[in-house]
Amino acid sequence: MACPLCSTKNITHSPIMNMLRSHYAMDISPEMDGEKVRVAGWVEDIRNLGGIAFIILRDRTGRMQITAIKKQNPEIFKEITSLTRESVISAVGTCQKNEKVMNGWELLLEEMEVLSIAQTPLPMGVVDKVNVDFDTRLDNRIIDLRRDETKAVFMIRHTMLGAAADFLRKNGFIEVHTPKISASSSEGGTEVFRIDYFGNDAYLVQSPQLYKQMLMASGLDRVYEIAWYFRAEEHDTSRHLNESTAIDIEMAFIENEEDVMKIAEGLTNAIIQKILEENSRELEVLGVKIDLPSLPYPRISYDEVVEILQKEMDFKWGDDLGTDEENMLAKHLDYDVYFITRFPLEAKPFYAMADGKYARAFDLEFKGMEISSGAQRIHDYEMLVSRMKELGMNVDNFEDYLNAFRYGMPPHGGFGYGIERLLMRLLNRSNIRECILFPRDRKRLRP
Ligand code: AMO
């Protein structure tokens, strides 16, 4: 819903405004000439010309100029001169139309409350054009978030999650939350964080995979979760995090993986559409232009991928698609967003449904990077047990999971959709860490 007060569409101004603020910068327009408002935010800059001083005040929506005249209010004027950059104030004043000033208006200051004085020097600049190195930015993430570019990513992330929830709820998905501490590892493999659970070993889940599948036997039919993935992967790349977030879905009574892919592409377009509607300012700040892909997305089979790659590099049927392979493939295709389908069974986890030597599984690729992967799952208990044994898994560790398949489990499938991965590609960020507030990687456990 757009704000009834201003042109900013991504903020629905609450009718219950705070006592320290009646309006954000973007709520105010030149037409409000003569109206009294209370604004609040961070002092980005102060210019004192002797008899007149200007404060550039920044809030979540933008900036404004506050003008103070010494003669009219000597006490406040004195206080202004003691303000440091990035101090926090709340100010009451009258809006005055002024074409020469940013936004076409300024606020003539009448009252000011200093809420917090910022210490000096700042650990990093907020408006300085000099490039701050990425580690300094991450070390000082809270200050970094005051910068327009950084904030824009998270405003868009906010839109993304709202759009995803709207789309999924409209399509009958029920929001769930499954445990993040578990007695067994969810994806098989050893890349799990082990924790001490009252003297016993437990693991942080790699994904909600086992639980969302179990829920398919509950009758909830379609579920989704904004999930946390914890993966103790050793590699340190620009596209992997050790703690990442995802939109996970699972749906029952599917004919095959196509049913799931329709949700994945519909979800992606719903997200992009909403960002286009609500975040034009942020996209401009980031210098990003996004086109809405047309539906349905192209589907390209793993076999076709092999054919393309073999012309360019050493690649055998059955090999994994790594970064180099994904990039090479993207170069050969005329579209940005596409599914890769019908993977070799061995390339996919134990729960993927087989179709001969293929898995009924897919990856969703965005400009040469996997942003989602999913599959139709095995729903037959015996088949699942025998597949797990074939792969050398200890079925005793999966007793609770397997029990869910014993008393009526419908055919089902789903996908996991990397939130940071989509944002990274959509917003042309070169490092996935740009798209999560406080990244966790091998070297970073703070802030
Ligand atoms: P997968 O392991 O492919 O599948 O993960 C699903 C999606 O999550 C994102 N992702 C990551 N993003 C950042 N850093 C990581 N270390 C990371 N790992 C995964 C990717 C990826 O496409 N259970 C299955 C999904 C399913 O079949 O429902 C799974 O976890 O965007």
Side-chain angles (χ1 to χ4, degrees):
M1 199 173 86
C3 168
L5 298 172
C6 69
S7 61
T8 321
K9 290 204 198 118
N10 58 1
I11 295 160
T12 304
H13 292 291
S14 165
I16 313 168
M17 279 307 268
N18 303 351
M19 296 294 278
L20 292 181
R21 173 191 281 135
S22 67
H23 291 74
Y24 281 107
M26 287 298 145
D27 301 342
I28 303 170
S29 63
E31 289 71 54
M32 289 169 65
D33 190 50
E35 273 185 48
K36 201 173 229 193
V37 294
R38 183 187 264 274
V39 295
W42 286 259
V43 174
E44 194 167 275
D45 197 15
I46 308 158
R47 265 184 304 142
N48 185 351
L49 306 182
I52 187 165
F54 304 105
I55 298 174
I56 302 300
L57 193 73
R58 188 188 64 246
D59 66 24
R60 198 171 88 179
T61 67
R63 295 172 175 77
M64 67 191 92
Q65 177 174 300
I66 298 178
T67 306
I69 297 164
K70 190 174 184 179
K71 243 190 356 225
Q72 286 175 358
N73 214 327
E75 281 301 305
I76 298 187
F77 203 86
K78 214 166 110 203
E79 227 178 338
I80 288 175
T81 48
S82 70
L83 286 176
T84 52
R85 276 191 182 194
E86 296 302 312
S87 289
V88 181
I89 63 166
S90 169
V92 176
T94 305
C95 304
Q96 177 164 287
K97 197 170 170 173
N98 182 347
E99 276 166 16
K100 293 195 204 107
V101 172
M102 69 166 91
N103 312 333
W105 57 268
E106 64 191 316
L107 192 76
L108 299 183
L109 186 65
E110 289 161 25
E111 288 168 43
M112 181 175 82
E113 204 173 325
V114 179
L115 303 171
S116 168
I117 289 283
Q119 294 183 9
T120 55
L122 294 167
M124 59 175 272
V126 175
V127 280
D128 306 352
K129 288 283 171 248
V130 278
N131 274 341
V132 188
D133 77 80
F134 194 34
D135 270 323
T136 307
R137 285 180 45 207
L138 290 180
D139 288 344
N140 300 284
R141 191 58 150 171
I142 294 302
I143 309 268
D144 182 42
L145 280 159
R146 296 182 189 174
R147 299 164 75 239
D148 289 342
E149 273 205 21
T150 311
K151 190 172 54 191
V153 172
F154 292 96
M155 292 306 289
I156 292 173
R157 184 179 164 120
H158 164 72
T159 304
M160 171 187 182
L161 291 176
D166 282 352
F167 173 85
L168 291 169
R169 283 166 181 249
K170 268 189 204 130
N171 283 285
F173 286 82
I174 292 165
E175 180 159 10
V176 296
H177 294 98
T178 60
K180 300 299 155 228
I181 304 175
S182 175
S184 58
S185 97
S186 49
E187 302 286 324
T190 52
E191 293 163 340
V192 283
F193 288 110
R194 194 185 324 177
I195 58 167
D196 173 33
Y197 194 73
F198 304 111
N200 292 318
D201 277 350
Y203 305 95
L204 295 180
V205 297
Q206 293 155 301
S207 88
Q209 184 65 35
L210 304 187
Y211 291 100
K212 64 177 185 170
Q213 276 195 266
M214 287 158 73
L215 284 171
M216 291 303 96
S218 74
L220 288 178
D221 272 357
R222 288 182 161 203
V223 300
Y224 81 97
E225 174 168 359
I226 304 299
W228 262 256
Y229 289 10
F230 300 97
R231 300 193 176 186
E233 290 157 348
E234 295 274 341
H235 44 234
D236 185 13
T237 78
S238 60
R239 51 169 72 186
H240 288 92
L241 293 161
N242 293 105
E243 181 188 51
S244 64
T245 61
I247 302 165
D248 262 78
I249 74 126
E250 201 68 20
M251 53 200 282
F253 301 101
I254 61 166
E255 172 98 24
N256 54 44
E257 72 276 26
E258 256 301 320
D259 282 336
V260 184
M261 289 157 68
K262 283 192 194 119
I263 297 292
E265 60 190 1
L267 172 70
T268 309
N269 267 33
I271 290 169
I272 296 177
Q273 176 76 48
K274 196 75 169 172
I275 291 173
L276 288 170
E277 282 166 23
E278 303 215 330
N279 293 105
S280 52
R281 264 186 339 127
E282 284 79 8
L283 292 174
E284 200 182 311
V285 165
L286 295 170
V288 172
K289 197 182 157 304
I290 303 177
D291 295 316
L292 187 68
S294 44
L295 289 171
Y297 295 168
R299 277 111 166 108
I300 165 163
S301 72
Y302 177 87
D303 286 354
E304 290 171 280
V305 172
V306 173
E307 237 175 78
I308 293 172
L309 292 182
Q310 283 181 343
K311 287 187 198 136
E312 299 284 351
M313 57 209 300
D314 191 19
F315 190 84
K316 292 188 302 301
W317 195 94
D319 283 352
D320 242 357
L321 295 175
T323 308
D324 292 345
E325 290 79 12
E326 285 183 307
N327 285 339
M328 180 60 76
L329 175 65
K331 270 193 205 154
H332 279 263
L333 303 174
D334 316 327
Y335 29 83
D336 282 344
V337 193
Y338 44 93
F339 287 107
I340 302 176
T341 59
R342 294 182 66 75
F343 278 86
L345 191 56
E346 283 63 40
K348 289 290 169 185
F350 70 91
Y351 45 77
M353 176 73 98
D355 181 9
K357 62 176 184 170
Y358 298 100
R360 292 201 159 278
F362 61 86
D363 282 358
L364 176 58
E365 299 271 322
F366 200 124
K367 294 185 198 157
M369 188 173 74
E370 177 201 317
I371 58 165
S372 173
S373 75
Q376 177 176 2
R377 329 292 190 185
I378 301 172
H379 63 277
D380 180 83
Y381 174 79
E382 303 295 341
M383 196 190 283
L384 186 57
V385 169
S386 100
R387 178 74 184 140
M388 290 169 86
K389 286 186 175 160
E390 210 175 289
L391 291 172
M393 294 170 67
N394 183 352
V395 289
D396 295 341
N397 293 342
F398 292 85
E399 192 185 344
D400 299 319
Y401 170 69
L402 287 170
N403 276 342
F405 291 74
R406 294 171 65 188
Y407 312 108
M409 172 64 94
H412 64 275
F415 58 77
Y417 194 112
I419 293 171
E420 293 82 24
R421 288 271 181 101
L422 175 73
L423 286 170
M424 181 184 173
R425 270 304 180 253
L426 208 53
L427 307 180
N428 292 340
R429 301 296 98 185
S430 57
N431 195 319
I432 194 165
R433 292 161 184 78
E434 296 269 4
C435 304
I436 191 157
L437 283 174
F438 301 104
R440 290 289 174 260
D441 60 35
R442 276 190 69 187
K443 298 189 207 102
R444 186 172 284 281
L445 197 50
R446 358 182 341 241

